Amino acid sequence: MSFALLALGLVLVVEGLVLALAPGRIEDALRLMASLGLDQRRMIGLAALALGVVLVWLARGG
């Protein structure tokens, strides 16, 4: 449970920093994502998911 809370906390820190330091860039990124097709967004999501799993696996001692 503490690992899940740590992960959630780190996600919130990163998201908060991005929103606080570069809110205009977030709008640009959202426009870019909206211009992509559904399949492209799905592939980006799957790639991010896979990368996240690998990073967690490596952080846990791989």
Side-chain angles (χ1 to χ4, degrees), residues 1-27:
M1 180 65 170
S2 65
F3 182 72
L5 286 175
L6 174 64
L8 180 59
L10 289 172
V11 167
L12 291 174
V13 166
V14 170
E15 293 287 334
L17 276 173
V18 171
L19 286 171
L21 298 177
R25 299 289 289 182
I26 293 294
E27 291 176 3

Side-chain angles (χ1 to χ4, degrees), residues 24-57:
R25 299 289 289 182
I26 293 294
E27 291 176 3
D28 295 340
L30 289 174
R31 273 196 233 58
L32 175 65
M33 290 298 287
S35 71
L36 296 175
L38 214 58
D39 289 336
Q40 288 175 311
R41 285 184 274 181
R42 183 172 289 119
M43 291 307 297
I44 290 170
L46 288 172
L49 173 68
L51 179 61
V53 168
V54 168
L55 288 175
V56 169
W57 179 72

